[in-house]
Amino acid sequence: MNEQLIGRKAEREALLEYLNSDRSEFIAVYGRRRVGKTFLIKQTVKHFDFMFTGAENVSLEEQLLNFHLRLSKYYPQTVRCQTWLESFNQLERYLETLPEGNKVIFIDELPWLDTARSGFVTALELFWNGWAALRSDIKLIVCGSAASWMLDNLINDYGGLYHRVTHQIRLNPFTLAESKEFFDTYGFHYSEVNIAEIYMTLGGIPYYYSLMKQDLSVAQNIARLVIDPNGELNNEMHLLFRSLFKKSDDYVRIIEALSMKNKGLTRSELLKTLKVSNNARFTQMLNELEKCGFIRYFTPYDGKKRQLTYQLIDPFVHFYYQMMVKNKLQSAQQWELMQNSPLYNTWAGLAFEILCFNHTSQILSALGISGIQTNIYSWRTPNDVEDGAQIDMVINRADRCVNICEMKYSRDEYDLQKAEADKLQHRLNCFAKYAEQRKALILTMVTCFGVKKNMYSSLIQREVTLHDLFQ
């Protein structure tokens, strides 16, 4: 593919604004593996005065040599250094030889440079605090997939780089609209429901999309890339967390626990399930997983008290645990044969809920309530209620209304029947009784193609369709 920058309008405009400011800028771009961080920077910035990429799992000596070889292409007078302090001093000398105007430095895969006892962070602090920040023409852009390092050492650092990062850009996966733009641009003749199914499996990751073939169906592409033992994404789940987090097994255990409970777990339930201590380290891991878009947290009402609940919302990770682990999907043929099976429909229903939670702003817009303050969460009755209920999505509004949302995946109009209508009415009754919300309740259905008109459909007061989520 002849790659083009798809979407990313807000991020690109922000990056250009920072590059054109009248002061030195320290810009940190972070996000999960394969989300397109480096591509965004290289497509937005047309000229770099110095560009360098850290190498994974190499020694300090090798990193310094690579830095020297790269700098020598810009500044032949550079000498080989034994420390990062000397190396950054060489970079300063080179930049001081350049004419007036902004000088753009891009260091990619920054976390890989911080090898054991390397002194890299200290050298970076001195470069920025003692030289670059005192000028007005230095634009330092740093990037890395190791999100925990980026957050701990740059964005949330309380050491020498505290508040030194002038701007941070968190690059998220594509939305449905950006996904459609991608497939339209590259000549895929996929419908909106096709693209939704791709999103429900691959999760809006541009690199994953780039591996797809136009002459294959969605099911064939997923089978070839993810399920086939030789597929390019078959081992991606293991590489993903290893690239993002130190001691990645601890993060994976949290994800595994959440993958077993579609409606989420409270912090206390997570601690009990994992049998771990309730400490700052656990809080840090939850925050980092949320920052990287793997989980979300919300504060529901359980009728008596408020408690934070965590929920897995990454489609690719959800697909891996539901299909590859739980249902032991091991061959491309299995996946293609199971299309429209009860097992497939169960997964699709849950995956569609995740898709909706990742597009809440579009749901609010479709309902015409974008300008109203809202709190969005899942809800369940207290544990001691005998005939309890769960609600997929509650939109609690400041205008004294509550949208009780049900999300149903269907490749045709959703046909509401008596048994499901009775369940919906029971959920409304439970919410009215236990949620302590004296507000108007509006039953809202989010489906692919709307609700089929029949004797039960009048129960639904508002509708949102898949097309609305593409806006």
Side-chain angles (χ1 to χ4, degrees):
M1 291 183 178
N2 182 18
E3 293 183 298
Q4 303 178 43
L5 183 62
I6 305 296
R8 311 306 197 195
K9 182 180 178 182
E11 294 87 349
R12 186 173 184 273
E13 288 178 353
L15 192 52
L16 289 171
E17 178 186 340
Y18 307 151
L19 292 172
N20 292 320
S21 72
D22 57 1
R23 65 170 185 169
S24 289
E25 301 282 9
F26 190 165
I27 307 158
V29 181
Y30 72 101
R32 61 178 287 169
R33 169 183 162 93
R34 307 296 200 185
V35 80
K37 302 178 295 296
T38 302
F39 188 68
L40 167 69
I41 294 166
K42 288 184 175 180
Q43 290 291 307
T44 303
V45 185
K46 299 307 179 185
H47 171 75
F48 297 100
D49 294 284
F50 177 67
M51 181 168 59
F52 175 66
T53 301
E56 187 177 13
N57 295 326
V58 303
S59 66
L60 169 61
E61 184 180 13
E62 290 175 282
Q63 298 281 19
L64 290 170
L65 176 59
N66 290 338
F67 189 90
H68 164 70
L69 293 174
R70 187 64 181 169
L71 184 56
S72 65
K73 294 182 182 297
Y74 296 86
Y75 185 52
Q77 300 94 311
T78 187
V79 297
R80 186 173 176 183
C81 302
Q82 302 301 312
T83 68
W84 280 115
L85 283 172
E86 295 171 308
S87 296
F88 275 106
N89 183 258
Q90 289 286 308
L91 178 59
E92 291 175 21
R93 290 186 182 183
Y94 154 62
L95 294 172
E96 286 172 343
T97 68
L98 298 179
E100 286 190 18
N102 289 334
K103 299 155 185 65
V104 184
I105 305 107
F106 175 36
I107 304 180
D108 199 4
E109 297 300 352
L110 186 77
W112 290 347
L113 300 174
D114 186 29
T115 54
R117 296 179 297 279
S118 66
F120 174 76
V121 172
T122 299
L124 179 63
E125 290 173 4
L126 292 172
F127 169 74
W128 181 256
N129 296 339
W131 185 79
L134 303 178
R135 302 170 62 102
S136 61
D137 58 350
I138 303 300
K139 310 294 180 178
L140 174 60
I141 306 171
V142 299
C143 175
S145 294
S148 59
W149 192 98
M150 295 289 288
L151 292 166
D152 292 348
N153 294 279
L154 292 182
I155 295 166
N156 299 327
D157 178 62
Y158 287 93
L161 289 174
Y162 181 57
H163 279 176
R164 295 304 185 183
V165 173
T166 56
H167 300 286
Q168 55 177 291
I169 297 176
R170 169 180 163 179
L171 199 60
N172 293 311
F174 278 167
T175 62
L176 283 174
E178 290 170 323
S179 300
K180 185 177 188 304
E181 184 183 349
F182 179 95
F183 289 113
D184 288 349
T185 299
Y186 291 115
F188 288 78
H189 301 292
Y190 285 154
S191 67
E192 288 185 346
V193 73
N194 288 151
I195 295 170
E197 289 173 340
I198 295 168
Y199 183 96
M200 287 156 57
T201 310
L202 299 182
I205 303 301
Y207 175 75
Y208 300 170
Y209 289 176
S210 73
L211 300 175
M212 298 183 70
K213 293 184 176 181
Q214 292 97 327
D215 60 341
L216 298 180
S217 69
V218 172
Q220 288 172 324
N221 267 308
I222 299 304
R224 178 180 65 88
L225 293 172
V226 184
I227 300 165
D228 189 310
N230 296 315
E232 291 181 75
L233 299 178
N234 183 263
N235 196 42
E236 178 69 9
M237 175 65 191
H238 302 288
L239 297 174
L240 179 59
F241 283 87
R242 206 178 308 158
S243 71
L244 286 168
F245 308 111
K246 289 182 179 179
K247 298 182 179 178
S248 59
D249 288 350
D250 294 339
Y251 294 83
V252 170
R253 288 188 65 216
I254 295 174
I255 292 294
E256 286 175 345
L258 292 175
S259 75
M260 305 304 292
K261 295 291 184 179
N262 299 314
K263 301 302 179 184
L265 292 168
T266 64
R267 183 188 180 99
S268 59
E269 289 170 337
L270 261 176
L271 291 167
K272 183 178 179 180
T273 301
L274 298 171
K275 298 178 181 178
V276 296
S277 300
N278 186 10
N279 54 31
R281 164 71 174 156
F282 188 69
T283 300
Q284 179 186 29
M285 289 192 292
L286 291 173
N287 288 339
E288 289 174 0
L289 286 168
E290 188 274 332
K291 282 281 188 181
C292 290
F294 291 109
I295 67 175
R296 76 179 186 110
Y297 61 83
F298 55 90
T299 309
Y301 286 83
D302 68 356
K304 296 179 181 178
K305 61 181 179 180
R306 305 180 69 166
Q307 53 181 336
L308 219 55
T309 298
Y310 296 87
Q311 190 174 40
L312 176 64
I313 58 165
D314 183 272
F316 183 79
V317 175
H318 176 261
F319 178 82
Y320 173 82
Y321 279 106
Q322 289 295 317
M323 288 300 184
M324 311 288 280
V325 177
K326 183 178 179 180
N327 292 303
K328 304 187 186 312
L329 195 61
Q330 295 178 336
S331 73
Q333 186 180 24
Q334 280 180 285
W335 173 247
E336 292 181 44
L337 288 174
M338 74 169 9
Q339 303 294 303
N340 295 318
S341 68
L343 185 62
Y344 177 91
N345 292 334
T346 298
W347 163 77
L350 297 172
F352 185 66
E353 289 183 22
I354 289 175
L355 180 150
C356 292
F357 275 114
N358 287 332
H359 290 79
T360 53
S361 62
Q362 287 83 358
I363 292 175
L364 296 179
S365 179
L367 294 172
I369 56 175
S370 296
I372 299 173
Q373 183 180 353
T374 58
N375 182 23
I376 301 175
Y377 50 85
S378 296
W379 181 87
R380 60 188 176 189
T381 49
N383 293 332
D384 57 355
V385 174
E386 186 172 335
D387 187 16
Q390 293 184 336
I391 297 174
D392 299 338
M393 179 187 291
V394 174
I395 305 176
N396 201 332
R397 298 157 44 174
D399 62 352
R400 304 200 60 74
C401 293
V402 177
N403 289 86
I404 304 296
C405 300
E406 281 289 319
M407 294 165 278
K408 298 294 183 183
Y409 179 78
S410 172
R411 289 174 173 169
D412 204 340
E413 285 185 310
Y414 180 71
D415 191 8
L416 180 64
Q417 294 299 305
K418 183 179 187 305
E420 186 62 30
D422 289 344
K423 289 180 183 178
L424 293 177
Q425 186 62 62
H426 176 66
R427 289 168 192 159
L428 284 172
N429 295 341
C430 284
F431 189 85
K433 181 176 181 180
Y434 296 106
E436 298 181 353
Q437 293 293 306
R438 296 178 180 177
K439 297 182 178 182
L441 304 185
I442 302 171
L443 185 57
T444 304
M445 189 71 79
V446 185
T447 63
C448 289
F449 300 105
V451 179
K452 186 176 181 179
K453 301 303 178 186
N454 62 23
M455 63 187 296
Y456 304 107
S457 61
S458 60
L459 182 65
I460 310 302
Q461 295 167 281
R462 293 297 306 271
E463 291 187 43
V464 177
T465 66
L466 179 62
H467 182 69
D468 295 323
L469 305 186
F470 275 83
Q471 304 310 306

